């Protein structure tokens, strides 16, 4: 697969991938197929959970499960990176992760509630292992941070993410909704299988550094880690076996601890970094400033990620899912964001560059606050179709497309800036770990949604939607108004 996308380098005669190292084609296709399987399953997930032919759950439980699943994927990205750094090395970790993801989708394809949740767990574990390490291998292809091709290589790589995310709902979603749910999940397994096969074939084009374990565990560390892991696993097993045997087990016994952990762990991680006595005064100040961005990002993702749950469930029950009289599957809404990302990302990049040349590019804080205000505005727009549905009518599909459009613009304003500011404000001691901290903002946001759902809060009610929208807008305005203080905390970062 990779070779078909390569071309000859005019300077060396060696085959490249659009002027980049040939290994980028391998990683591009691996990520594309992994995202195809991930987003295809994700588009089906809330619909399958509420469907009479699926698990026939109520909307609140479905939203909680969806939110907890997403939070787990991002929560497990930190231990996933740890495995790549300390145990297997990036290349081996990605290969194993792909196999786990494929097994998870195959498990989802089995018509049983128990196997369904086991499959979700496997996909979350595999995605967490793969997420950090495949990006690391992209970096290995270049001659350090100063290689002029590096940024372009990551741009091409991220295009693979959106290509997979765009195609997945159209293929997997259509089959799952219109033919058979479990066949849709099986197609996701097939996609990941293709990704694993081409990865194994194309590994010869990857940098040898991807085979190296950067900081391998010592014999004592390995034994201690295994011992602690087995103790915690044993405690969890005894606890859950006890709840089953005594007949008190319900799904909340699984969901509530995960949502609480997803809120507590980010606080613990940030507190540990903030209290580190080895950090300089400048680094301490930057960590304090970063907490502002972290909280704001958690609010952003709390609303944004409901595009796959609250909005999708609303579309299933209350939207006119048709264009010019032609009906389409609800899961197709999940293709709107990636196609808009591919269309608008180059526009935004050129726009920021043009403003920069004129000395008028907005600061990081202004971009961040704008993203929050926009994502809040998207939920204010959501109030219109909710009101239409409340009057007993079906809301037009274009209302939902408008919401996804505003959220995509918000994402392009906030997400790349968040990634950049994370790397710039990270203390040197935590340079690698801080990217995992950024992912924990997604975890915190999704766990907040999950906890609200488990508490019985109807997230598709106009009052709750208005409250969330107001929270995001107020947070965005607050960051803007306090931008002087935040800038001071950021030090030399702009």
């Amino acid at each position: 697969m990779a070779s078909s996308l390569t071309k000859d380098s005019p300077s060396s005669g060696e085959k490249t991938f659009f002027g980049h190292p040939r290994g980028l084609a391998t990683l591009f296709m691996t990520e594309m197929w992994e995202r195809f399987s991930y987003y295809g399953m994700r588009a089906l997930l809330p619909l399958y959970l509420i469907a009479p032919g699926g698990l026939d759950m109520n909307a609140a439980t479905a939203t909680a499960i969806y939110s907890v699943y997403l939070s787990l994927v991002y929560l497990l990205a930190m231990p996933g990176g740890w495995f790549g750094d300390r145990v297997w090395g990036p290349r081996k970790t990605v290969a194993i992760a792909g196999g786990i993801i494929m097994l998870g989708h195959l498990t989802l394809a089995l018509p049983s509630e128990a196997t369904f949740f086991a499959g979700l767990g496997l996909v979350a574990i595999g995605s967490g292992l793969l997420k950090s390490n495949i990006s690391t291998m992209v970096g290995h292809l270049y001659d350090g941070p100063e290689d002029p091709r590096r940024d372009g290589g990551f741009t091409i790589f991220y295009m693979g993410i959106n290509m997979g995310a765009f195609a997945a709902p159209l293929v997997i979603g259509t089959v799952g909704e219109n033919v058979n749910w479990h066949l849709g999940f099986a197609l996701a397994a097939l996609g990941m299988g293709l990704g694993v096969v081409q990865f194994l074939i194309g590994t010869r084009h990857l940098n040898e550094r991807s085979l190296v374990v950067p900081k391998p565990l010592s014999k004592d560390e390995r034994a201690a880690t295994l011992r602690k892991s087995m103790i915690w696993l044993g405690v969890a097993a005894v606890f859950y076996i006890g709840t089953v045997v005594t007949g008190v087990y319900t799904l909340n016994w699984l969901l509530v601890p995960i949502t609480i952990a997803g809120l507590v762990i980010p606080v613990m991680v940030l507190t540990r970094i903030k209290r580190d006595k080895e950090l300089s005064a400048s680094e301490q100040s930057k960590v304090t400033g970063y907490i502002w961005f972290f909280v704001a990002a958690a609010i952003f993702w709390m609303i944004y990620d409901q595009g796959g749950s609250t909005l999708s469930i609303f579309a299933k029950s209350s939207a006119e899912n048709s264009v010019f009289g032609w009906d389409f599957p609800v899961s197709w809404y999940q293709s709107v964001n990636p196609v808009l990302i591919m269309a608008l990302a180059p526009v935004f990049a050129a726009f920021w560059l043009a403003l920069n040349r004129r000395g008028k590019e907005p600061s990081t804080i202004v971009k961040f606050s704008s993203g929050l205000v926009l994502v809040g505005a998207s939920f204010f727009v959501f109030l219109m179709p909710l009101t239409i549905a409340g009057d007993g009518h079906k809301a037009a599909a274009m209302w939902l497309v408008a919401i996804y459009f505003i959220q995509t613009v918000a994402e392009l304003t906030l997400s790349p800036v968040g990634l950049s500011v994370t790397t710039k404000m990270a203390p040197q001691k935590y340079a690698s770990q801080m990217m995992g901290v950024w992912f924990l903002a997604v975890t915190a946001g999704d766990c907040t949604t999950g906890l609200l759902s488990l508490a019985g809060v109807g997230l598709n009610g106009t009052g709750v939607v208005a409250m969330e929208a107001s929270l995001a807008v107020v947070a965005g305005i607050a960051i803007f108004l306090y931008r002087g203080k935040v800038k001071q905390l950021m030090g030399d970062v702009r």
Side-chain angles (χ1 to χ4, degrees):
M1 290 182 187
S3 61
S4 65
L5 294 173
T6 59
K7 63 179 183 179
D8 290 336
S9 168
S11 58
S12 64
E14 295 179 0
K15 286 192 173 182
T16 64
F17 183 64
F18 298 114
H20 291 266
R22 196 175 177 187
L24 183 61
T26 298
L27 300 176
F28 173 95
M29 297 296 288
T30 303
E31 184 71 359
M32 187 193 76
W33 282 116
E34 189 273 332
R35 293 290 89 180
F36 175 84
S37 69
Y38 173 79
Y39 280 101
M41 185 277 288
R42 205 176 92 163
L44 286 182
L45 179 56
L47 303 175
Y48 173 73
L49 290 171
I50 64 173
L55 295 186
D56 199 16
M57 295 178 172
N58 60 52
T61 303
T63 301
I65 292 171
Y66 180 90
S67 301
V68 167
Y69 166 70
L70 291 191
S71 68
L72 267 179
V73 169
Y74 288 94
L75 182 62
L76 293 172
M78 285 193 77
W82 180 86
F83 263 90
D85 288 341
R86 309 294 312 269
V87 184
W88 291 327
R91 189 186 301 188
K92 186 177 180 180
T93 303
V94 167
I96 292 172
I100 294 173
I101 293 170
M102 184 174 64
L103 178 61
H105 287 303
L106 287 172
T107 307
L108 287 171
L110 301 175
S112 161
E113 184 172 335
T115 55
F116 176 80
F117 287 107
L120 276 185
L122 288 169
V123 174
I125 291 169
S127 297
L129 287 169
L130 186 140
K131 197 167 189 64
S132 302
N133 290 286
I134 195 165
S135 296
T136 299
M137 286 196 291
V138 174
H140 286 163
L141 297 173
Y142 300 96
D143 298 326
E146 304 306 318
D147 191 320
R149 301 171 300 168
R150 186 183 179 94
D151 287 350
F154 272 99
T155 300
I156 293 172
F157 176 72
Y158 287 125
M159 287 299 287
I161 293 175
N162 287 291
M163 286 175 62
F166 169 69
L170 304 181
V171 179
I172 295 173
T174 301
V175 171
E177 284 192 71
N178 295 341
V179 182
N180 181 276
W181 296 108
H182 299 288
L183 183 58
F185 294 132
L187 275 179
L190 176 63
M192 190 66 254
L194 290 171
V196 171
V197 169
Q198 76 83 39
F199 176 76
L200 294 176
I201 292 173
T203 50
R204 64 185 185 277
H205 302 302
L206 301 177
N207 191 289
E208 291 300 309
R209 282 189 293 166
S210 64
L211 285 170
V212 176
V213 181
K215 190 180 178 183
L217 291 172
S218 66
K219 185 177 179 180
D220 290 341
E221 286 177 321
R222 188 180 293 269
T225 302
L226 183 61
R227 182 172 62 254
K228 290 177 183 177
S229 300
M230 294 306 295
I231 289 173
W232 281 109
L233 186 61
V235 169
V238 169
F239 175 79
Y240 283 106
I241 289 173
T243 60
V244 172
V245 170
T246 56
V248 299
Y249 176 81
T250 65
L251 191 57
N252 283 356
W253 282 101
L254 180 63
L255 297 179
V256 172
I258 295 175
T259 55
I260 293 174
L263 293 170
V264 171
I265 290 173
V267 174
M268 290 175 61
V269 171
L270 283 170
T271 301
R272 178 174 60 86
I273 294 174
K274 185 73 179 73
R275 290 182 175 177
D276 192 332
K277 301 297 184 183
E278 295 182 10
L279 301 186
S280 66
S282 173
E283 288 177 324
Q284 286 279 0
S285 177
K286 288 177 182 177
V287 172
T288 302
Y290 183 74
I291 291 173
W292 281 73
F293 292 104
F294 182 91
V295 174
I299 295 171
F300 176 88
W301 294 114
M302 177 186 72
I303 293 176
Y304 180 90
D305 277 346
Q306 289 185 61
S309 54
T310 304
L311 287 179
S312 187
I313 292 171
F314 171 82
K316 182 66 177 176
S317 62
S318 305
E320 191 69 48
N321 304 308
S322 62
V323 177
F324 303 118
W326 175 70
D327 296 335
F328 58 87
V330 174
S331 55
W332 283 23
Y333 284 112
Q334 302 309 306
S335 288
V336 174
N337 171 259
V339 75
L340 287 174
I341 288 287
M342 289 188 285
L344 295 178
V347 176
F348 267 72
F351 179 62
W352 296 137
L353 186 60
L355 288 178
N356 182 268
R357 286 171 178 163
R358 298 176 185 177
K360 296 181 178 180
E361 183 180 3
S363 67
T364 293
I365 298 172
V366 172
K367 289 179 182 177
F368 219 86
S369 60
S370 299
L372 272 171
V373 170
L374 282 169
V375 83
S378 76
F379 259 35
F380 277 126
V381 173
F382 186 24
L383 291 174
M384 293 302 296
L386 282 173
T387 302
I388 292 170
D391 292 336
H393 303 289
K394 292 280 188 178
M398 291 310 295
W399 280 114
L400 294 172
V401 173
I403 295 168
Y404 287 120
F405 174 81
I406 297 171
Q407 290 188 348
T408 301
V409 174
E411 179 188 3
L412 288 169
T413 305
L414 181 141
S415 186
V417 174
L419 290 168
S420 177
V421 80
T422 298
T423 59
K424 291 176 181 177
M425 296 178 71
Q428 185 175 359
K429 181 178 179 180
Y430 298 100
S432 299
Q433 294 181 45
M434 284 299 283
M435 195 55 67
V437 173
W438 171 252
F439 289 143
L440 287 180
V442 187
T443 296
D446 286 327
C447 281
T448 301
T449 303
L451 209 56
L452 289 172
S453 298
L454 291 170
V457 176
L459 295 177
N460 58 353
T462 54
V464 175
V465 170
M467 181 189 70
E468 291 181 88
S470 300
L471 176 63
V473 171
V474 169
I477 293 173
I479 288 180
F480 180 78
L481 293 177
Y482 283 89
R483 62 190 182 280
K485 179 179 180 180
V486 178
K487 280 182 181 178
Q488 185 178 1
L489 292 170
M490 291 169 68
D492 57 353
V493 175
R494 289 290 178 265

